[in-house]
Amino acid sequence: MTGFRRRPDGPTAADTHGPPAARWAVRGRPLSSYLAEALGSAWLVLAALTAVSLTMRTDGAYLSSWPLLPRLAVVGVSVGGAVAVFALTPPGKESGAHLNPAISLFMALRGALGAADLIAYGVFQMAGSVLGVLLARTLWGERVAEVRYGLIQPGAGWDDPVAVTLGESLSTAVLLGVLAAMTSRPRPRSTPWVLGAVVAALITSTGSRTGAAFNPARNFGPHLVSGDYHLFWAYMLAPLAGAAVAASVPALLGARRAWTHRVCCAHDIHRYHLRPPRSRHRLPTSSR
């Protein structure tokens, strides 16, 4: 990223909705795409910490008196729903709503995202994670500090770094396997909800074991703000390893490129259907 330049006004071959407004761009991509990733990551972390502050307290207040599985389900639905909702917003559609460096790495390995975009997405996602923690602290005060700023750690008996690494890598590979199927060709706008449901299911089923992060940005802010770096490297690197595994499977099957880098590909559908739909009524012709 060497600097900013103005993107000229006017329609492009990839835009069928009229001429876009001029926007600041970094190496051809609008800066607003990177800012959208920061905003979305902050939104995800805020939703996660809000749910954790209600369910994982030690004093039995709010929902923390429930059994562990329903509490994990509340956290899972909150995080999965936050991902799906943001993917359907204009910022989410512009950036692709990755909100996860592992997803960005997966898209880069599949040929749908450039190296410069991969680095920029990761930096802005991490910054958004810190912002999300600070927003949660501002809104909920000591309730967030009491749950260690939502820091994800393994459950009892799962504090082995190898177990955490393997579990987080496998969870990430499962999530990205679904994403690979959903982005292999145009899909309806239910795609974000499918991925949100997968996120919720993974958090509910694996949260009591490995902690269910499968997202370096999800745990980066809590690690940094809390100052607790226990298993930091595992939660940062394991999802990236899972992304590399998930990207290698489609390549082995002959699918070398992803069709889109967006989680919600409603805009890309117009690019896919190059031919306009046929009119049902024949236009009148003038005879001479």
Side-chain angles (χ1 to χ4, degrees):
M1 301 190 310
T2 58
F4 301 108
R5 62 181 177 83
R6 298 287 284 182
R7 195 177 79 169
D9 291 329
T12 63
D15 194 347
T16 59
H17 294 283
R23 292 176 289 185
W24 289 105
V26 182
R27 289 188 176 274
R29 183 178 294 275
L31 178 62
S32 54
S33 294
Y34 304 137
L35 295 175
E37 284 296 299
L39 175 64
S41 298
W43 163 249
L44 183 152
V45 171
L46 175 61
L49 267 60
T50 300
V52 169
S53 67
L54 293 174
T55 59
M56 301 300 171
R57 298 167 59 94
T58 58
D59 57 3
Y62 304 103
L63 306 181
S64 59
S65 61
W66 291 12
L68 180 57
L69 189 62
R71 285 185 285 151
L72 288 173
V74 170
V75 176
V77 170
S78 299
V79 175
V83 172
V85 168
F86 184 77
L88 293 171
T89 64
K93 291 178 182 179
E94 179 174 351
S95 72
H98 294 184
L99 317 184
N100 184 341
I103 291 181
S104 299
L105 176 60
F106 173 79
M107 291 300 184
L109 294 176
R110 294 291 314 280
L113 197 70
D117 289 329
L118 171 63
I119 296 172
Y121 269 42
V123 170
F124 278 83
Q125 288 158 356
M126 297 298 186
S129 175
V130 177
L131 176 61
V133 176
L134 297 178
L135 287 173
R137 175 61 186 267
T138 301
L139 291 174
W140 313 126
E142 290 300 319
R143 281 181 287 180
V144 175
E146 290 172 2
V147 293
R148 301 170 62 196
Y149 298 96
L151 180 67
I152 290 178
Q153 291 290 285
W158 286 81
D159 203 27
D160 182 10
V162 176
V164 172
T165 301
L166 291 177
E168 288 291 288
S169 299
L170 179 59
S171 295
T172 306
V174 170
L175 174 65
L176 296 180
V178 175
L179 181 61
M182 301 301 289
T183 58
S184 61
R185 58 190 178 88
R187 295 285 177 171
R189 299 187 71 178
S190 60
T191 301
W193 299 109
V194 172
L195 296 180
V198 174
V199 169
L202 288 173
I203 291 175
T204 303
S205 60
T206 67
S208 62
R209 298 174 177 85
T210 63
F214 45 85
N215 181 350
R218 163 61 181 89
N219 230 24
F220 179 78
H223 273 300
L224 190 66
V225 176
S226 68
D228 185 346
Y229 293 96
H230 179 60
L231 292 177
F232 173 79
W233 65 269
Y235 283 108
M236 294 298 107
L237 298 181
L240 302 181
V245 172
S248 65
V249 174
L252 293 175
L253 297 177
R256 297 184 179 180
R257 292 182 60 88
W259 180 75
T260 178
H261 75 281
R262 292 180 171 89
V263 170
C264 183
C265 50
H267 176 73
D268 286 333
I269 290 176
H270 298 281
R271 295 174 55 190
Y272 181 79
H273 297 292
L274 298 179
R275 296 181 180 179
R278 293 182 178 180
S279 175
R280 296 184 178 181
H281 303 284
R282 183 174 299 177
L283 296 177
T285 58
S286 58
S287 59
R288 295 186 179 181

